[in-house]
Amino acid sequence: MVKPPSERPLEGIISIHSELSPMASNEYEPGRPTEEEVTLTRMLDKVLRRSDAVDKESLCVLAGQRVWHIRLTIHVLSDAGNMVDCACLAGIVALKHFRRPEVEVEGDEVTIHHPSERAPVPLSMHHTPFCLTFAFFQDTPPLLDPSRLEQTLSAGLLSVALNAQKELCVVQKAGGVPLAAEEVLGIMDIAVVKARELDKLVEACLLEDWKGRVVEIR
Amino acid sequence: MSSRIEILNDGGFRSDGRKQYELRDVLIDLSQQGTADGSAQISHGLTQVLVTVFGPREAKMRSHTLHDRAVLNVEMSVAPFSTGERRKRSKADRRILEMASMIASTFEPVVQTTLYPRSQIDIYVHVLQQDGSLLPACINATTLALITAGVPLHDFVCAVTGGVHSTSPLLDLTTVEENDIPHMTVAVMPRTQKVTLVTMETRLHVERFRELFELACEAGQTIHKEMKLAVKDRTVVLVGAMDAGLKGVAVDDRDRDVVMEDRI
C-alpha cells in the first residue's frame, strides 16, 4: 500500500517487470536491454496496463492518501518462440487469480484484514485481453503462434491483443513484409475465434483451481 | 477517459474546426540541411518533424554491418520544447526507443538495402513540435528524406492516424483527440496498396476497426498525392537550377575574368 502520485489521486498503481535471463534461451545475454526485451516490456505494458484490464480506481483505498500498488513480475524460464503471447497470458491469468487482502475504512482509519481473518478479494477486472501473434512468410500462409525457428525465419510478425467480447486492445505490426488490407482483416477474424477459445480455457482452469481452495467459514 | 472537451459537436465539426475526414494542412520542406545527404521537414498541423538522412555510407562500427545488405540505423530525439509541458526526455525512453525501432522495421523492406552491401544508412528523426499523429509524421518525413537522399525505395510509405468517436470515424488526430478516443496508426504503400505498419493501443471493437482501417488506407493515398507533388516540385527546381547553373557559371566566369583583368 502506497501514497498515489498527485496527478492521479484516485487510481492504484500497477507496475510490470519482466526478466529475461540467459536461462530462457542462449540468445539472451545479461546487461543492456536488447530490442527484443524492449518489445516485450512495451507489449506487456500495453496489453496488461494501458488496455485498462484491471479497474485501477478499485485499487484506491483513500483518495490521494493510500492506494494499492500491484507489482507483476514475469520471469521467462525458457523461450521456444512466441514469448510475448505466453508472457501476456501468464500476466493476465496471474491478475485474475490474484486475491488481495480486504480492507476496511472508517473515517481516516484503514484496517487491513489478514487473509486468515477475512477471505481475500479478487481484483475487479474490466476485461481479459489475450495476445495472439502471427508470423508471415514470403509465400506460405501466415502461422499462428510461431516457434523460435519459425519466428527467426519469418518475414514479419503481427501481434493482436483482444478479449472474448471481440474488442481489439492492441494491434502491433511494425514493418516486416507488407500485407494487403484484406489479409489483415482476415487475421482479425481468426484472432476473434482463438480469443474465445482461450477465454473458455482460462475460465475453466481458474474455476477448477478455485474449487480446490475451499474457504473455511468459522 | 474524460470527455470534458467536445470531440465532435452536433454540427459535425471537431475541436479544431475540421470535418470528420478532413486532414490537417501538410507542409513539406525538402531543402538542404547542413551536410545531410537528404532531409525533409514535414508538418501535419502543429506537429512538426525534421528528418535527416546520411548515407549509404561506410559504417562507423564494422561489426554492425551485414555482408549482403545495408543496415538502417534510426535515432530519434524529441525536443524538450515540443510539448506544452516542458520536459526533458532521455534518449533511452522506452517509448522513443520503440518508435525508432518501429520506423526502422517499417523501412527495412521498403528501402532496397541489397544494393548497398556492408554499408549503413543513418536516419535521424528530430521531433520539433508535437500535436498528435507523431508516428505518421515521422514516417512520412523519413520517406521524403530518403527520397531526397536518392536512396532507392520500392514505394512511398504514407502513414495516417485514425480514431473512432462513439461510432463516427475521424482522421488525423490531434493530441486532445488522441487522449480521449481509441486511435490507430496505419502506414500504407500506395502503389501496391499494401499495409506495412498497423499499431493500436486502445480498446476498439473489431467491426469498428475494420471500418477505420479501410478509411485510413484511403487517407494514405491522399497523403501520397501531397508527398509526390512536393518531390516533383523539388525535382523541377533542381533540374531548372542545374540548367541555369551550367549556363550561369559560364557567363559569370567570363565576366569575372574581365573584372580581374581590369584590376590587374
Side-chain angles (χ1 to χ4, degrees):
Chain A
M1 202 170 272
V2 294
K3 198 174 156 51
S6 52
E7 60 266 26
R8 292 177 185 274
L10 296 174
E11 289 181 5
I13 305 166
I14 301 170
S15 55
I16 301 167
H17 302 265
S18 52
E19 284 184 14
L20 270 182
S21 67
M23 186 168 74
S25 162
N26 53 9
E27 284 181 27
Y28 303 125
E29 278 169 30
R32 245 183 100 251
T34 54
E35 199 159 291
E36 195 135 321
E37 203 170 342
V38 172
T39 342
L40 176 72
T41 29
R42 283 285 299 162
M43 197 66 193
L44 281 170
D45 185 58
K46 281 185 205 163
V47 175
L48 302 178
R49 206 152 59 125
R50 298 213 26 192
S51 69
D52 275 332
V54 180
D55 183 6
K56 278 196 211 142
E57 283 181 13
S58 74
L59 296 175
C60 177
V61 180
L62 261 180
Q65 289 173 38
R66 309 196 95 185
V67 294
W68 287 107
H69 181 177
I70 293 174
R71 193 187 155 100
L72 180 77
T73 313
I74 290 179
H75 298 275
V76 180
L77 300 180
S78 127
D79 173 21
N82 201 12
M83 179 178 54
V84 175
D85 287 15
C86 189
C88 289
L89 185 62
I92 201 79
V93 175
L95 285 174
K96 275 183 90 94
H97 187 256
F98 178 69
R99 299 280 186 274
R100 67 171 170 81
E102 199 179 347
V103 286
E104 206 169 20
V105 183
E106 283 170 39
D108 279 350
E109 279 291 290
V110 178
T111 18
I112 302 174
H113 294 286
H114 193 264
S116 59
E117 279 174 40
R118 284 202 195 175
V121 288
L123 300 174
S124 98
M125 308 274 284
H126 284 308
H127 65 132
T128 42
F130 299 104
C131 184
L132 298 160
T133 300
F134 294 83
F136 293 94
F137 301 90
Q138 286 297 352
D139 32 39
T140 36
L143 299 178
L144 175 62
D145 191 10
S147 70
R148 172 144 284 281
L149 181 66
E150 286 161 350
Q151 211 170 335
T152 325
L153 294 175
S154 73
L157 295 173
L158 177 113
S159 293
V160 185
L162 74 172
N163 57 23
Q165 287 78 45
K166 282 177 82 175
E167 279 176 327
L168 290 167
C169 306
V170 182
V171 180
Q172 178 84 317
K173 178 199 185 304
V177 65
L179 297 175
E182 297 81 54
E183 265 180 289
V184 177
L185 297 173
I187 292 288
M188 299 299 162
D189 294 337
I190 301 170
V192 165
V193 178
K194 289 289 168 196
R196 286 222 178 111
E197 282 174 20
L198 266 179
D199 187 55
K200 272 188 200 140
L201 178 75
V202 166
E203 290 299 332
C205 286
L206 283 172
L207 202 67
E208 198 173 322
D209 178 79
W210 192 233
K211 274 183 196 154
R213 294 167 195 266
V214 182
V215 184
E216 198 182 325
I217 301 160
R218 276 181 224 155
Chain B
M1 289 202 184
S2 62
S3 42
R4 273 162 292 144
I5 301 145
E6 206 173 19
I7 298 293
L8 195 68
N9 68 14
D10 299 334
F13 287 101
R14 288 152 71 174
S15 53
D16 56 355
R18 277 185 292 157
K19 284 281 200 185
Q20 234 178 311
Y21 301 147
E22 198 176 327
L23 302 176
R24 288 178 288 179
D25 266 356
V26 179
L27 291 176
I28 298 169
D29 177 11
L30 299 177
S31 51
Q32 183 80 28
Q33 298 282 348
T35 54
D37 291 310
S39 57
Q41 185 170 331
I42 193 165
S43 40
H44 288 257
L46 292 177
T47 303
Q48 200 173 47
V49 177
L50 169 68
V51 176
T52 47
V53 170
F54 291 84
R57 63 181 179 186
E58 191 180 336
K60 291 220 173 69
M61 299 254 270
R62 190 53 77 77
S63 57
H64 285 183
T65 53
L66 294 174
H67 70 93
D68 60 342
R69 59 194 155 95
V71 173
L72 292 188
N73 171 36
V74 179
E75 276 176 38
M76 190 164 173
S77 61
V78 179
F81 50 79
S82 64
T83 45
E85 190 185 343
R86 192 174 265 257
R87 189 160 122 213
K88 188 137 177 70
R89 280 186 182 276
S90 77
K91 259 194 179 167
D93 189 324
R94 284 198 194 276
R95 215 175 67 96
I96 294 172
L97 277 182
E98 195 204 19
M99 223 185 251
S101 85
M102 275 205 293
I103 295 171
S105 50
T106 308
F107 282 94
E108 249 150 38
V110 181
V111 177
Q112 301 191 14
T113 46
T114 44
L115 297 177
Y116 305 105
R118 292 182 295 280
S119 50
Q120 177 178 334
I121 299 172
D122 290 306
I123 299 168
Y124 300 114
V125 181
H126 307 274
V127 178
L128 306 177
Q129 291 188 86
Q130 306 186 42
D131 183 29
S133 309
L134 180 61
L135 184 62
C138 293
I139 289 175
N140 294 341
T142 307
T143 310
L144 291 167
L146 284 168
I147 290 171
T148 48
V151 176
L153 305 179
H154 285 289
D155 198 353
F156 279 71
V157 182
C158 307
V160 75
T161 49
V164 180
H165 177 249
S166 61
T167 55
S168 40
L170 310 172
L171 283 174
D172 196 11
L173 308 183
T174 60
T175 304
V176 175
E177 291 165 338
E178 268 182 8
N179 289 340
D180 245 26
I181 60 175
H183 61 274
M184 66 167 176
T185 304
V186 179
V188 289
M189 291 167 67
R191 197 162 53 85
T192 47
Q193 309 256 339
K194 286 197 169 174
V195 180
T196 57
L197 173 133
V198 194
T199 63
M200 194 182 72
E201 296 187 1
T202 31
R203 236 191 309 172
L204 188 65
H205 196 268
V206 173
E207 299 306 317
R208 291 273 113 61
F209 175 84
R210 184 181 302 266
E211 191 183 350
L212 186 58
F213 183 73
E214 277 159 5
L215 194 71
C217 289
E218 231 171 274
Q221 304 284 345
T222 316
I223 301 258
H224 173 235
K225 265 182 217 152
E226 207 63 41
M227 286 162 71
K228 203 166 142 189
L229 202 68
V231 171
K232 253 188 183 165
D233 282 353
R234 179 180 154 79
T235 316
V236 166
V237 170
L238 277 183
V239 169
M242 256 158 70
D243 286 348
L246 284 175
K247 283 174 206 152
V249 167
V251 173
D252 271 347
D253 281 354
R254 225 183 298 133
D255 286 352
R256 206 179 298 142
D257 281 347
V258 172
V259 175
M260 295 282 272
E261 275 162 16
D262 281 355
R263 270 190 194 165
I264 293 162

